[in-house]
Amino acid sequence: MKSVGIVGWGAYIPLYRIAVDEIAKMWGIDPFLAKALGMYEKAVGGLDEDAVTIGVEAAMNALQRAKIKPDSIGAVFFGTESKPYAVKPSATIVAEVLGITPNTMASDLEFACRAASEGLRAAFALVESGQIDYGLVIGADTAQANPGDVLELTASSGGAAFIVGPSSESVAILEGVFTFITDTPDFWRREGVPYPFHGEGFTGDPAYFHHIIGAVEGLMKKLGLSPNDFDYAIFHQPNGKFPLVVGKRLGFSREKIIPSLVTPYAGNTYNGSALLGFARVLENVAKPGDRILVAPFGSGAGSDAFSFIVTDKLEERKKLAPTVDDYLSNKKIISYSEYARMRQLIKIVR
Amino acid sequence: MVWKLSPVSVWRHRIPRYRLIGKECKKCGKHHYPPKLACPYCGSRDLKNIELPRSGIIETYTVIYEVGEEFRHKAPVVIGLVKLDDGTRVIAPITDVAEDELEIGLRVEATFRRIRDGDHFGVIGYGLSFRPIRTNVSKTSS
Ligand SMILES: [Zn+2]
């Protein structure tokens, strides 16, 4: 089997932000709750943005960094839970825009916030087995939340894309991966229902913590590693608090987790959440030789733990596209009414 | 009442709309967009596909308040005449822009957006829009 890794990565966060305090004020949510969740602002996709357009932006940045020809990509996996079409792939649209068509695999994956993570596993396996040269994996969402639900404080728009390929061209080489899945109904959206529902307190211990801990402990056992062997740890970020708590339970210090935190400033971009954190660590702090843990989580429920070793190819690729921090600083604050209009919480009958 | 978009039309125009592919005239050398069967400058039919530069300036623009039903949720709609860096002119929506930011000469770059929503049951018309170049997040200025 070939050795594989990350050849390119790209982020995208829309221009608009709403302050989480404004949402809390609008619906009479305890203002202390926003603070307890470690949240400041969340990103809002514009009226002409959806998961597909966000995915295209992120994928273009990833292609710029990977410096490969689009038609050398043999698989496009699009992880989202906000598909513009219930039936009709988003992945084909992205593949056509980027010039990857027609000789490629392409599909949309759904596993709440973890679909893109499983896409990564699949793409790595396809490259490892020699069936494709490169794979493009996108995690992008315009996350929905029932107005006034506590979820509305965090659910946001944004995405990240990763191109996987041979380790000889990689900025981070895959060292190992471990997956932990059970049937746990912590969060769901039924067919034809506009907003997801969640099992209140049930989303924490039996879901987020149980699965991430299961995946990360499994990975460390498999590779014979302990938290001290990792320089950075990136977890799924449903809010600003959970990643720090799960890290503490596993034995990772705050310093190893804080560089990855994007959700406090951009909200939870669902499939983009952990992957934007990974992108930010690659861009801001990672050095050749560092070992990085990436552990996305998806409700329903499951988690994958990946271990990567950073290479000396990282530095030259950073500047080839806008960074997560570039996007975080490029923002326009909007009111609740503007946000409600953009995300079509106010529906016009046309 | 909003009409369904034609799937055939969306499909037929997807490549120029998705990738900013125009035509170069092999006789007079000029570029045009969207692709036509004959060169609008000299009439030659000897044309080839060309990927146009993704950045340019707003040459002129209009802010449309009285929009059709399909665009009512997006009003006002800003339409720009964009002069790309190779001189090709493109008519397209301008996005992520406040009205007081709009000015002739403003540098813009192409972005892939959801241009037409059609009705709720039909296909979605994706395509190109232009947004002001904000240096730190520009794909074209570096
Ligand atoms: Zn001509």
Side-chain angles (χ1 to χ4, degrees), chain A residues 263-294:
Chain A
T263 288
Y265 320 103
N268 178 9
T269 55
Y270 286 29
N271 274 276
S273 181
L275 298 183
L276 280 172
F278 185 22
R280 193 174 194 222
V281 165
L282 290 174
E283 290 157 4
N284 290 1
V285 290
K287 305 231 167 6
D290 282 355
R291 180 180 278 120
I292 299 178
L293 172 75
V294 183

PDB file of all heavy atoms in Angstrom, chain A residues 263-294:
ATOM      1  N   THR A 263     -14.905  28.011  15.653  1.00  0.00           N
ATOM      2  CA  THR A 263     -16.333  28.160  15.953  1.00  0.00           C
ATOM      3  C   THR A 263     -16.683  29.399  16.798  1.00  0.00           C
ATOM      4  O   THR A 263     -17.700  30.040  16.533  1.00  0.00           O
ATOM      5  CB  THR A 263     -16.866  26.858  16.592  1.00  0.00           C
ATOM      6  OG1 THR A 263     -16.919  25.863  15.560  1.00  0.00           O
ATOM      7  CG2 THR A 263     -18.251  27.025  17.177  1.00  0.00           C
ATOM      8  N   PRO A 264     -15.870  29.799  17.793  1.00  0.00           N
ATOM      9  CA  PRO A 264     -16.245  31.002  18.561  1.00  0.00           C
ATOM     10  C   PRO A 264     -16.429  32.245  17.693  1.00  0.00           C
ATOM     11  O   PRO A 264     -17.212  33.125  18.027  1.00  0.00           O
ATOM     12  CB  PRO A 264     -15.057  31.186  19.515  1.00  0.00           C
ATOM     13  CG  PRO A 264     -14.525  29.802  19.698  1.00  0.00           C
ATOM     14  CD  PRO A 264     -14.690  29.143  18.351  1.00  0.00           C
ATOM     15  N   TYR A 265     -15.740  32.295  16.531  1.00  0.00           N
ATOM     16  CA  TYR A 265     -15.759  33.498  15.681  1.00  0.00           C
ATOM     17  C   TYR A 265     -16.562  33.300  14.395  1.00  0.00           C
ATOM     18  O   TYR A 265     -16.939  34.283  13.759  1.00  0.00           O
ATOM     19  CB  TYR A 265     -14.322  33.896  15.318  1.00  0.00           C
ATOM     20  CG  TYR A 265     -13.379  33.722  16.476  1.00  0.00           C
ATOM     21  CD1 TYR A 265     -12.507  32.639  16.556  1.00  0.00           C
ATOM     22  CD2 TYR A 265     -13.412  34.625  17.544  1.00  0.00           C
ATOM     23  CE1 TYR A 265     -11.680  32.456  17.653  1.00  0.00           C
ATOM     24  CE2 TYR A 265     -12.588  34.450  18.644  1.00  0.00           C
ATOM     25  CZ  TYR A 265     -11.723  33.352  18.691  1.00  0.00           C
ATOM     26  OH  TYR A 265     -10.914  33.172  19.781  1.00  0.00           O
ATOM     27  N   ALA A 266     -16.760  32.066  13.983  1.00  0.00           N
ATOM     28  CA  ALA A 266     -17.469  31.811  12.718  1.00  0.00           C
ATOM     29  C   ALA A 266     -18.691  30.917  12.909  1.00  0.00           C
ATOM     30  O   ALA A 266     -19.435  30.685  11.973  1.00  0.00           O
ATOM     31  CB  ALA A 266     -16.528  31.171  11.703  1.00  0.00           C
ATOM     32  N   GLY A 267     -18.890  30.411  14.118  1.00  0.00           N
ATOM     33  CA  GLY A 267     -20.000  29.489  14.352  1.00  0.00           C
ATOM     34  C   GLY A 267     -19.620  28.067  13.970  1.00  0.00           C
ATOM     35  O   GLY A 267     -18.521  27.809  13.469  1.00  0.00           O
ATOM     36  N   ASN A 268     -20.570  27.161  14.194  1.00  0.00           N
ATOM     37  CA  ASN A 268     -20.351  25.764  13.847  1.00  0.00           C
ATOM     38  C   ASN A 268     -20.756  25.547  12.397  1.00  0.00           C
ATOM     39  O   ASN A 268     -21.938  25.581  12.066  1.00  0.00           O
ATOM     40  CB  ASN A 268     -21.179  24.869  14.775  1.00  0.00           C
ATOM     41  CG  ASN A 268     -21.035  23.395  14.452  1.00  0.00           C
ATOM     42  OD1 ASN A 268     -20.191  23.006  13.638  1.00  0.00           O
ATOM     43  ND2 ASN A 268     -21.854  22.574  15.091  1.00  0.00           N
ATOM     44  N   THR A 269     -19.773  25.326  11.536  1.00  0.00           N
ATOM     45  CA  THR A 269     -20.049  25.126  10.112  1.00  0.00           C
ATOM     46  C   THR A 269     -20.315  23.649   9.799  1.00  0.00           C
ATOM     47  O   THR A 269     -20.184  23.224   8.652  1.00  0.00           O
ATOM     48  CB  THR A 269     -18.880  25.636   9.253  1.00  0.00           C
ATOM     49  OG1 THR A 269     -17.674  24.984   9.694  1.00  0.00           O
ATOM     50  CG2 THR A 269     -18.691  27.139   9.413  1.00  0.00           C
ATOM     51  N   TYR A 270     -20.661  22.891  10.826  1.00  0.00           N
ATOM     52  CA  TYR A 270     -21.031  21.478  10.689  1.00  0.00           C
ATOM     53  C   TYR A 270     -19.931  20.657   9.991  1.00  0.00           C
ATOM     54  O   TYR A 270     -18.912  20.390  10.602  1.00  0.00           O
ATOM     55  CB  TYR A 270     -22.394  21.342  10.007  1.00  0.00           C
ATOM     56  CG  TYR A 270     -23.562  21.705  10.923  1.00  0.00           C
ATOM     57  CD1 TYR A 270     -23.417  22.638  11.948  1.00  0.00           C
ATOM     58  CD2 TYR A 270     -24.820  21.120  10.785  1.00  0.00           C
ATOM     59  CE1 TYR A 270     -24.472  22.966  12.791  1.00  0.00           C
ATOM     60  CE2 TYR A 270     -25.893  21.452  11.630  1.00  0.00           C
ATOM     61  CZ  TYR A 270     -25.702  22.368  12.614  1.00  0.00           C
ATOM     62  OH  TYR A 270     -26.751  22.690  13.438  1.00  0.00           O
ATOM     63  N   ASN A 271     -20.121  20.296   8.714  1.00  0.00           N
ATOM     64  CA  ASN A 271     -19.097  19.481   8.060  1.00  0.00           C
ATOM     65  C   ASN A 271     -17.770  20.217   7.901  1.00  0.00           C
ATOM     66  O   ASN A 271     -16.724  19.595   7.723  1.00  0.00           O
ATOM     67  CB  ASN A 271     -19.581  18.991   6.693  1.00  0.00           C
ATOM     68  CG  ASN A 271     -20.386  17.711   6.818  1.00  0.00           C
ATOM     69  OD1 ASN A 271     -19.829  16.624   6.861  1.00  0.00           O
ATOM     70  ND2 ASN A 271     -21.696  17.839   6.924  1.00  0.00           N
ATOM     71  N   GLY A 272     -17.802  21.547   7.971  1.00  0.00           N
ATOM     72  CA  GLY A 272     -16.559  22.312   7.870  1.00  0.00           C
ATOM     73  C   GLY A 272     -15.876  22.500   9.219  1.00  0.00           C
ATOM     74  O   GLY A 272     -14.718  22.942   9.286  1.00  0.00           O
ATOM     75  N   SER A 273     -16.570  22.181  10.300  1.00  0.00           N
ATOM     76  CA  SER A 273     -16.147  22.581  11.649  1.00  0.00           C
ATOM     77  C   SER A 273     -14.730  22.118  12.036  1.00  0.00           C
ATOM     78  O   SER A 273     -13.831  22.939  12.203  1.00  0.00           O
ATOM     79  CB  SER A 273     -17.176  22.057  12.649  1.00  0.00           C
ATOM     80  OG  SER A 273     -16.860  22.415  13.954  1.00  0.00           O
ATOM     81  N   ALA A 274     -14.528  20.816  12.159  1.00  0.00           N
ATOM     82  CA  ALA A 274     -13.203  20.313  12.547  1.00  0.00           C
ATOM     83  C   ALA A 274     -12.187  20.566  11.427  1.00  0.00           C
ATOM     84  O   ALA A 274     -11.007  20.826  11.697  1.00  0.00           O
ATOM     85  CB  ALA A 274     -13.272  18.820  12.867  1.00  0.00           C
ATOM     86  N   LEU A 275     -12.658  20.505  10.177  1.00  0.00           N
ATOM     87  CA  LEU A 275     -11.732  20.656   9.045  1.00  0.00           C
ATOM     88  C   LEU A 275     -11.203  22.085   8.941  1.00  0.00           C
ATOM     89  O   LEU A 275     -10.041  22.302   8.587  1.00  0.00           O
ATOM     90  CB  LEU A 275     -12.409  20.212   7.737  1.00  0.00           C
ATOM     91  CG  LEU A 275     -12.825  18.738   7.705  1.00  0.00           C
ATOM     92  CD1 LEU A 275     -13.418  18.366   6.354  1.00  0.00           C
ATOM     93  CD2 LEU A 275     -11.636  17.816   8.026  1.00  0.00           C
ATOM     94  N   LEU A 276     -12.043  23.084   9.265  1.00  0.00           N
ATOM     95  CA  LEU A 276     -11.539  24.463   9.319  1.00  0.00           C
ATOM     96  C   LEU A 276     -10.517  24.596  10.446  1.00  0.00           C
ATOM     97  O   LEU A 276      -9.529  25.320  10.320  1.00  0.00           O
ATOM     98  CB  LEU A 276     -12.691  25.453   9.545  1.00  0.00           C
ATOM     99  CG  LEU A 276     -13.523  25.836   8.319  1.00  0.00           C
ATOM    100  CD1 LEU A 276     -14.736  26.672   8.739  1.00  0.00           C
ATOM    101  CD2 LEU A 276     -12.685  26.618   7.302  1.00  0.00           C
ATOM    102  N   GLY A 277     -10.755  23.885  11.548  1.00  0.00           N
ATOM    103  CA  GLY A 277      -9.797  23.891  12.659  1.00  0.00           C
ATOM    104  C   GLY A 277      -8.456  23.312  12.227  1.00  0.00           C
ATOM    105  O   GLY A 277      -7.399  23.843  12.550  1.00  0.00           O
ATOM    106  N   PHE A 278      -8.518  22.233  11.451  1.00  0.00           N
ATOM    107  CA  PHE A 278      -7.304  21.596  10.926  1.00  0.00           C
ATOM    108  C   PHE A 278      -6.570  22.574  10.001  1.00  0.00           C
ATOM    109  O   PHE A 278      -5.351  22.767  10.102  1.00  0.00           O
ATOM    110  CB  PHE A 278      -7.696  20.312  10.182  1.00  0.00           C
ATOM    111  CG  PHE A 278      -6.561  19.465   9.689  1.00  0.00           C
ATOM    112  CD1 PHE A 278      -5.282  19.545  10.248  1.00  0.00           C
ATOM    113  CD2 PHE A 278      -6.764  18.537   8.658  1.00  0.00           C
ATOM    114  CE1 PHE A 278      -4.236  18.739   9.779  1.00  0.00           C
ATOM    115  CE2 PHE A 278      -5.740  17.732   8.190  1.00  0.00           C
ATOM    116  CZ  PHE A 278      -4.469  17.843   8.744  1.00  0.00           C
ATOM    117  N   ALA A 279      -7.343  23.223   9.122  1.00  0.00           N
ATOM    118  CA  ALA A 279      -6.744  24.197   8.202  1.00  0.00           C
ATOM    119  C   ALA A 279      -6.043  25.306   8.983  1.00  0.00           C
ATOM    120  O   ALA A 279      -4.908  25.692   8.673  1.00  0.00           O
ATOM    121  CB  ALA A 279      -7.820  24.791   7.289  1.00  0.00           C
ATOM    122  N   ARG A 280      -6.699  25.791  10.030  1.00  0.00           N
ATOM    123  CA  ARG A 280      -6.123  26.901  10.801  1.00  0.00           C
ATOM    124  C   ARG A 280      -4.830  26.487  11.494  1.00  0.00           C
ATOM    125  O   ARG A 280      -3.878  27.263  11.555  1.00  0.00           O
ATOM    126  CB  ARG A 280      -7.147  27.383  11.835  1.00  0.00           C
ATOM    127  CG  ARG A 280      -6.749  28.709  12.435  1.00  0.00           C
ATOM    128  CD  ARG A 280      -7.829  29.246  13.353  1.00  0.00           C
ATOM    129  NE  ARG A 280      -7.575  30.640  13.660  1.00  0.00           N
ATOM    130  CZ  ARG A 280      -7.720  31.161  14.868  1.00  0.00           C
ATOM    131  NH1 ARG A 280      -8.128  30.402  15.872  1.00  0.00           N
ATOM    132  NH2 ARG A 280      -7.475  32.439  15.085  1.00  0.00           N
ATOM    133  N   VAL A 281      -4.784  25.253  11.998  1.00  0.00           N
ATOM    134  CA  VAL A 281      -3.554  24.764  12.637  1.00  0.00           C
ATOM    135  C   VAL A 281      -2.433  24.639  11.600  1.00  0.00           C
ATOM    136  O   VAL A 281      -1.290  25.037  11.859  1.00  0.00           O
ATOM    137  CB  VAL A 281      -3.817  23.419  13.357  1.00  0.00           C
ATOM    138  CG1 VAL A 281      -2.516  22.708  13.720  1.00  0.00           C
ATOM    139  CG2 VAL A 281      -4.651  23.663  14.612  1.00  0.00           C
ATOM    140  N   LEU A 282      -2.753  24.119  10.420  1.00  0.00           N
ATOM    141  CA  LEU A 282      -1.729  24.020   9.362  1.00  0.00           C
ATOM    142  C   LEU A 282      -1.200  25.408   9.000  1.00  0.00           C
ATOM    143  O   LEU A 282       0.000  25.597   8.794  1.00  0.00           O
ATOM    144  CB  LEU A 282      -2.312  23.348   8.106  1.00  0.00           C
ATOM    145  CG  LEU A 282      -2.641  21.862   8.200  1.00  0.00           C
ATOM    146  CD1 LEU A 282      -3.336  21.374   6.932  1.00  0.00           C
ATOM    147  CD2 LEU A 282      -1.382  21.020   8.466  1.00  0.00           C
ATOM    148  N   GLU A 283      -2.097  26.391   8.939  1.00  0.00           N
ATOM    149  CA  GLU A 283      -1.704  27.730   8.494  1.00  0.00           C
ATOM    150  C   GLU A 283      -0.953  28.524   9.556  1.00  0.00           C
ATOM    151  O   GLU A 283      -0.038  29.285   9.237  1.00  0.00           O
ATOM    152  CB  GLU A 283      -2.969  28.519   8.091  1.00  0.00           C
ATOM    153  CG  GLU A 283      -3.608  28.001   6.807  1.00  0.00           C
ATOM    154  CD  GLU A 283      -5.092  28.353   6.707  1.00  0.00           C
ATOM    155  OE1 GLU A 283      -5.616  29.069   7.589  1.00  0.00           O
ATOM    156  OE2 GLU A 283      -5.722  27.902   5.734  1.00  0.00           O
ATOM    157  N   ASN A 284      -1.337  28.366  10.822  1.00  0.00           N
ATOM    158  CA  ASN A 284      -0.815  29.280  11.854  1.00  0.00           C
ATOM    159  C   ASN A 284       0.312  28.738  12.718  1.00  0.00           C
ATOM    160  O   ASN A 284       1.163  29.505  13.139  1.00  0.00           O
ATOM    161  CB  ASN A 284      -1.949  29.706  12.792  1.00  0.00           C
ATOM    162  CG  ASN A 284      -2.941  30.631  12.116  1.00  0.00           C
ATOM    163  OD1 ASN A 284      -2.786  30.948  10.939  1.00  0.00           O
ATOM    164  ND2 ASN A 284      -3.950  31.056  12.835  1.00  0.00           N
ATOM    165  N   VAL A 285       0.285  27.452  13.026  1.00  0.00           N
ATOM    166  CA  VAL A 285       1.218  26.985  14.063  1.00  0.00           C
ATOM    167  C   VAL A 285       2.011  25.720  13.718  1.00  0.00           C
ATOM    168  O   VAL A 285       3.092  25.508  14.278  1.00  0.00           O
ATOM    169  CB  VAL A 285       0.479  26.738  15.415  1.00  0.00           C
ATOM    170  CG1 VAL A 285       0.038  28.050  16.036  1.00  0.00           C
ATOM    171  CG2 VAL A 285      -0.709  25.802  15.250  1.00  0.00           C
ATOM    172  N   ALA A 286       1.515  24.885  12.810  1.00  0.00           N
ATOM    173  CA  ALA A 286       2.164  23.588  12.582  1.00  0.00           C
ATOM    174  C   ALA A 286       3.556  23.752  11.980  1.00  0.00           C
ATOM    175  O   ALA A 286       3.778  24.635  11.141  1.00  0.00           O
ATOM    176  CB  ALA A 286       1.293  22.728  11.670  1.00  0.00           C
ATOM    177  N   LYS A 287       4.475  22.894  12.428  1.00  0.00           N
ATOM    178  CA  LYS A 287       5.849  22.903  11.913  1.00  0.00           C
ATOM    179  C   LYS A 287       6.201  21.483  11.439  1.00  0.00           C
ATOM    180  O   LYS A 287       5.645  20.519  11.952  1.00  0.00           O
ATOM    181  CB  LYS A 287       6.832  23.301  13.020  1.00  0.00           C
ATOM    182  CG  LYS A 287       6.520  24.615  13.680  1.00  0.00           C
ATOM    183  CD  LYS A 287       7.709  25.528  13.727  1.00  0.00           C
ATOM    184  CE  LYS A 287       7.336  26.951  14.087  1.00  0.00           C
ATOM    185  NZ  LYS A 287       5.931  27.209  14.460  1.00  0.00           N
ATOM    186  N   PRO A 288       7.153  21.400  10.501  1.00  0.00           N
ATOM    187  CA  PRO A 288       7.556  20.069  10.036  1.00  0.00           C
ATOM    188  C   PRO A 288       7.913  19.158  11.214  1.00  0.00           C
ATOM    189  O   PRO A 288       8.585  19.597  12.157  1.00  0.00           O
ATOM    190  CB  PRO A 288       8.781  20.359   9.167  1.00  0.00           C
ATOM    191  CG  PRO A 288       8.577  21.761   8.682  1.00  0.00           C
ATOM    192  CD  PRO A 288       7.868  22.479   9.790  1.00  0.00           C
ATOM    193  N   GLY A 289       7.430  17.928  11.166  1.00  0.00           N
ATOM    194  CA  GLY A 289       7.700  16.969  12.232  1.00  0.00           C
ATOM    195  C   GLY A 289       6.605  16.904  13.286  1.00  0.00           C
ATOM    196  O   GLY A 289       6.542  15.944  14.051  1.00  0.00           O
ATOM    197  N   ASP A 290       5.750  17.942  13.341  1.00  0.00           N
ATOM    198  CA  ASP A 290       4.668  17.938  14.333  1.00  0.00           C
ATOM    199  C   ASP A 290       3.694  16.790  14.060  1.00  0.00           C
ATOM    200  O   ASP A 290       3.442  16.436  12.905  1.00  0.00           O
ATOM    201  CB  ASP A 290       3.862  19.253  14.277  1.00  0.00           C
ATOM    202  CG  ASP A 290       4.582  20.403  14.968  1.00  0.00           C
ATOM    203  OD1 ASP A 290       5.653  20.154  15.572  1.00  0.00           O
ATOM    204  OD2 ASP A 290       4.081  21.539  14.892  1.00  0.00           O
ATOM    205  N   ARG A 291       3.142  16.257  15.154  1.00  0.00           N
ATOM    206  CA  ARG A 291       2.094  15.248  15.023  1.00  0.00           C
ATOM    207  C   ARG A 291       0.757  15.899  15.391  1.00  0.00           C
ATOM    208  O   ARG A 291       0.647  16.522  16.446  1.00  0.00           O
ATOM    209  CB  ARG A 291       2.384  14.032  15.912  1.00  0.00           C
ATOM    210  CG  ARG A 291       1.299  12.952  15.803  1.00  0.00           C
ATOM    211  CD  ARG A 291       1.587  11.747  16.679  1.00  0.00           C
ATOM    212  NE  ARG A 291       2.522  10.828  16.045  1.00  0.00           N
ATOM    213  CZ  ARG A 291       3.699  10.485  16.542  1.00  0.00           C
ATOM    214  NH1 ARG A 291       4.115  11.001  17.693  1.00  0.00           N
ATOM    215  NH2 ARG A 291       4.473   9.618  15.915  1.00  0.00           N
ATOM    216  N   ILE A 292      -0.228  15.763  14.502  1.00  0.00           N
ATOM    217  CA  ILE A 292      -1.517  16.433  14.701  1.00  0.00           C
ATOM    218  C   ILE A 292      -2.643  15.411  14.755  1.00  0.00           C
ATOM    219  O   ILE A 292      -2.743  14.519  13.906  1.00  0.00           O
ATOM    220  CB  ILE A 292      -1.791  17.430  13.544  1.00  0.00           C
ATOM    221  CG1 ILE A 292      -0.707  18.506  13.506  1.00  0.00           C
ATOM    222  CG2 ILE A 292      -3.174  18.068  13.682  1.00  0.00           C
ATOM    223  CD1 ILE A 292      -0.878  19.507  12.368  1.00  0.00           C
ATOM    224  N   LEU A 293      -3.496  15.565  15.773  1.00  0.00           N
ATOM    225  CA  LEU A 293      -4.691  14.734  15.904  1.00  0.00           C
ATOM    226  C   LEU A 293      -5.883  15.507  15.345  1.00  0.00           C
ATOM    227  O   LEU A 293      -6.080  16.669  15.703  1.00  0.00           O
ATOM    228  CB  LEU A 293      -4.943  14.409  17.379  1.00  0.00           C
ATOM    229  CG  LEU A 293      -6.269  13.698  17.690  1.00  0.00           C
ATOM    230  CD1 LEU A 293      -6.203  12.234  17.285  1.00  0.00           C
ATOM    231  CD2 LEU A 293      -6.621  13.825  19.167  1.00  0.00           C
ATOM    232  N   VAL A 294      -6.655  14.871  14.470  1.00  0.00           N
ATOM    233  CA  VAL A 294      -7.885  15.487  13.943  1.00  0.00           C
ATOM    234  C   VAL A 294      -9.030  14.522  14.227  1.00  0.00           C
ATOM    235  O   VAL A 294      -9.000  13.377  13.771  1.00  0.00           O
ATOM    236  CB  VAL A 294      -7.787  15.747  12.425  1.00  0.00           C
ATOM    237  CG1 VAL A 294      -9.050  16.448  11.926  1.00  0.00           C
ATOM    238  CG2 VAL A 294      -6.557  16.581  12.084  1.00  0.00           C
TER     239      VAL A 294
END
